[in-house]
Amino acid sequence: MLKKILFVLKLALVFAAIVLFAKAMEFLIFNGGFSGAFYDIIFFRK
């Protein structure tokens, strides 16, 4: 039971990391560089 919970948690973490990475890449491509807004999106400060 515990192994299954840990497995699901790991999957969720990997999925979240992929989604965040995709958002960051998309933002960089459309805005052409690192800026304050880039970090706002990564750390959800908006």
Side-chain angles (χ1 to χ4, degrees):
M1 184 67 189
L2 187 62
K3 274 187 181 177
K4 196 175 271 188
I5 290 170
L6 285 174
F7 178 72
V8 169
L9 278 176
K10 276 184 192 173
L11 270 182
L13 258 175
V14 169
F15 183 72
I18 290 169
V19 168
L20 274 176
F21 185 73
K23 269 189 178 180
M25 284 295 106
E26 188 182 338
F27 188 85
L28 275 180
I29 288 163
F30 285 119
N31 290 277
F34 285 90
S35 66
F38 175 79
Y39 294 106
D40 286 346
I41 286 182
I42 290 184
F43 299 113
F44 301 108
R45 285 191 302 207
K46 280 190 175 178

